């Protein structure tokens, strides 16, 4: 539906005929007041508007249409035979018109302009609908994340409770009857104790994974990665010394992120580099940074450890993926946690390795801080 507004009857008739032949429905108005009435009642898909009208000028009609939320998105094509200067066209566009044509207008140009404006309007409607759907999906995702976090806390508490009971009574058995029943009984008690310890560790890892990257954008601050790395090395100092590993680090940048999550990220990667070392070989760990185009930096954590076969590189960030079986302790959740943290910060994480026994390098990107 096109609303054709023109006080000149012959000109109005000519434009209406062109648009009808092009397949459009057309309503007509000879005055500004009548045009506003039809806009309110018909909600046309486009308005062809003469600039000079006997009661309300075309520029004022533009402003009134744009001021009304119900009609503000209707495309307006202003057409004039008298207001033809550059200044007139600028005024028309500045006051809300989407296009401005000068009479006489070729019929093909008129139809093509209308079609172009309607295409833009259709695209705007589709984009608005997509944004609305995306907003709804984001709200649903936020609710699901909140429910997941509540569930993880509840499950963690409920699972720990029976484990504490088992650990308590197993400890009593071990303290009271160790060496008094049989060697088999002592072995069973030790097996139960070890199982409780492993299960507790698994629950802790799952809770960390569920919480990983949950911090919102509002929690982002400027984080000095040099401080994060120093704190990580302090926490892992004993483990690093025990295996004879060494860590060399370049100066690191200040990034925008959540300090707690980034500390967990460095802790997992450095700990993995220490844990997955070649036996009887001093571990060498390197941490470097390289600024990328845009406002991002790529951090690399490299080691000379066990390495990763090429066919496994694509799945090591999935939960419960353990490439070294029971030879090395763990549950395959650490790298999955790293992935969640990095992606929550808007970055990506990946690994490279020349193969088994050739060491590996883990890369991740983060946004640099804005000062």
């Amino acid at each position: 539906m096109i609303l054709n507004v023109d006080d000149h009857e012959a000109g109005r008739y000519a434009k209406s005929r062109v648009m009808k032949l092009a397949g459009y429905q057309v309503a007509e108005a000879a005055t500004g007041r009548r045009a506003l009435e039809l806009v309110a009642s018909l909600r046309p898909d486009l308005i062809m508007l003469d600039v000079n009208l006997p009661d309300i000028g075309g520029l004022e009609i533009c402003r009134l249409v744009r001021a009304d939320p119900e009609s503000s998105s209707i495309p307006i094509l202003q057409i004039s035979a008298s207001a033809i200067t550059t200044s007139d066209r600028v005024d028309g566009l500045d006051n809300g018109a989407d296009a401005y044509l000068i009479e006489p207008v070729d019929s093909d140009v008129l139809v093509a302009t209308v079609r172009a404006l309607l295409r833009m309007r259709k695209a705007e409607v589709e984009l608005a609908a997509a944004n609305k759907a995306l907003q709804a999906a984001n709200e649903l995702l936020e609710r699901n994340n909140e429910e997941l976090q509540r569930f993880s806390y509840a499950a963690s508490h409920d699972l720990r409770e029976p484990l504490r009971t088992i650990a308590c009574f197993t400890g009593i058995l071990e303290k009271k009857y160790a060496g008094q029943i049989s060697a088999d009984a002592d072995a069973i008690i030790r097996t139960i104790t070890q199982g409780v310890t492993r299960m507790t560790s698994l629950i802790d890892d799952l809770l960390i994974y569920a919480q990983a990257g949950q911090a919102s954008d509002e929690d982002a601050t400027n984080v000095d990665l040099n401080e994060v790395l120093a704190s990580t090395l302090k926490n892992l100092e004993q483990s690093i010394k025990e295996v004879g590993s060494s860590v060399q680090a370049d100066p690191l940048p200040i990034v925008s992120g959540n300090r707690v999550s980034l500390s967990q990220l460095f802790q997992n990667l450095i700990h993995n580099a220490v844990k997955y070392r070649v036996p009887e070989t001093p571990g060498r760990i390197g941490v470097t940074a390289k600024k990328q185009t845009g406002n991002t930096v790529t951090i690399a954590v490299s080691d000379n450890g066990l390495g990763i076969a090429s066919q496994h590189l694509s799945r090591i960030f999935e939960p419960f993926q353990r490439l070294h079986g029971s030879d090395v302790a763990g549950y395959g959740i650490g790298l999955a946690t790293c992935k969640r943290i990095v992606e929550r910060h808007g970055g990506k994480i990946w690994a490279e390795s020349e193969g088994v026994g050739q060491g590996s390098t883990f890369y991740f990107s983060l946004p640099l801080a804005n000062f």
Side-chain angles (χ1 to χ4, degrees):
M1 170 63 71
I2 294 175
L3 175 59
N4 179 16
V5 184
D6 193 339
D7 64 329
H8 186 260
E9 185 175 356
R12 187 174 68 247
Y13 169 80
K15 289 193 287 286
S16 292
R17 184 172 183 276
V18 168
M19 299 317 302
K20 288 177 181 178
L21 288 174
Y24 296 99
Q25 298 179 41
V26 181
E28 296 185 352
T31 65
R33 289 188 179 84
R34 180 56 180 163
L36 293 173
E37 291 173 358
L38 291 176
V39 169
S41 61
L42 295 179
R43 291 287 180 255
D45 297 295
L46 180 140
I47 302 170
M48 294 194 306
L49 179 62
D50 188 12
V51 176
N52 295 313
L53 295 170
D55 51 351
I56 306 175
L59 298 183
E60 178 63 17
I61 291 177
C62 263
R63 288 191 289 269
L64 292 172
V65 170
R66 292 288 176 246
D68 184 353
E70 296 296 323
S71 61
S72 60
S73 61
I74 299 175
I76 299 176
L77 170 58
Q78 285 199 323
I79 304 175
S80 181
S82 56
I84 60 174
T85 67
T86 299
S87 176
D88 291 327
R89 282 177 283 181
V90 170
D91 286 344
L93 296 172
D94 281 345
N95 281 275
D98 296 287
Y100 197 106
L101 296 178
I102 295 173
E103 296 274 18
V105 180
D106 181 85
S107 59
D108 290 337
V109 172
L110 178 61
V111 172
T113 303
V114 167
R115 285 176 177 162
L117 292 175
L118 290 175
R119 281 197 303 271
M120 287 192 295
R121 172 57 183 151
K122 181 182 178 182
E124 290 172 358
V125 170
E126 291 174 348
L127 180 59
N131 286 337
K132 186 176 181 180
L134 180 60
Q135 182 180 359
N138 285 337
E139 291 173 355
L140 177 61
L141 181 61
E142 288 295 329
R143 290 196 299 271
N144 288 341
N145 282 338
E146 290 173 4
E147 291 173 4
L148 174 62
Q149 196 165 17
R150 286 195 295 269
F151 170 78
S152 65
Y153 280 120
S156 172
H157 178 272
D158 292 344
L159 288 172
R160 279 194 177 98
E161 203 57 42
L163 286 175
R164 278 194 288 265
T165 302
I166 295 171
C168 178
F169 282 97
T170 305
I172 293 173
L173 286 173
E174 186 174 21
K175 184 177 181 181
K176 191 171 183 179
Y177 298 108
Q180 298 183 30
I181 303 175
S182 68
D184 288 343
D186 290 346
I188 290 171
I189 291 174
R190 285 195 300 272
T191 301
I192 294 172
T193 302
Q194 291 167 1
V196 170
T197 301
R198 287 197 300 271
M199 190 65 181
T200 302
S201 178
L202 176 58
I203 291 171
D204 290 340
D205 286 349
L206 286 172
L207 183 59
I208 292 172
Y209 175 72
Q211 295 172 321
Q214 288 296 318
S216 64
D217 293 340
E218 288 77 11
D219 297 318
T221 58
N222 290 343
V223 181
D224 188 339
L225 294 184
N226 296 290
E227 296 176 0
V228 171
L229 179 60
S231 176
T232 298
L233 295 180
K234 185 67 176 177
N235 292 338
L236 297 174
E237 183 177 11
Q238 190 60 36
S239 298
I240 293 172
K241 284 183 177 179
E242 286 177 359
V243 298
S245 292
S246 62
V247 180
Q248 298 293 326
D250 288 348
L252 301 179
I254 297 175
V255 300
S256 177
N258 179 270
R259 182 178 295 274
V260 174
S261 295
L262 293 177
S263 295
Q264 184 69 54
L265 171 63
F266 272 81
Q267 180 96 4
N268 287 3
L269 292 176
I270 300 294
H271 181 258
N272 273 7
V274 172
K275 182 168 65 172
Y276 295 104
R277 68 190 185 284
V278 176
E280 310 303 326
T281 301
R284 296 193 305 275
I285 303 167
V287 182
T288 60
K290 182 178 180 180
K291 188 179 184 305
Q292 305 297 326
T293 55
N295 195 40
T296 63
V297 64
T298 296
I299 309 297
V301 178
S302 60
D303 63 64
N304 63 334
L306 295 176
I308 306 167
S310 58
Q311 66 268 27
H312 298 317
L313 287 171
S314 61
R315 65 183 184 90
I316 58 174
F317 296 101
E318 299 174 10
F320 307 110
Q321 297 297 318
R322 301 188 61 205
L323 306 184
H324 302 282
S326 58
D327 296 338
V328 183
Y331 301 98
I333 298 177
L335 288 179
T337 300
C338 291
K339 184 173 186 285
R340 294 197 75 186
I341 293 171
V342 172
E343 289 182 347
R344 187 68 187 215
H345 282 76
K348 61 179 182 177
I349 186 169
W350 69 98
E352 295 178 0
S353 176
E354 295 296 323
V356 176
Q358 301 298 312
S360 56
T361 302
F362 288 84
Y363 300 91
F364 58 92
S365 59
L366 294 171
L368 288 166
N370 293 315
F371 294 99

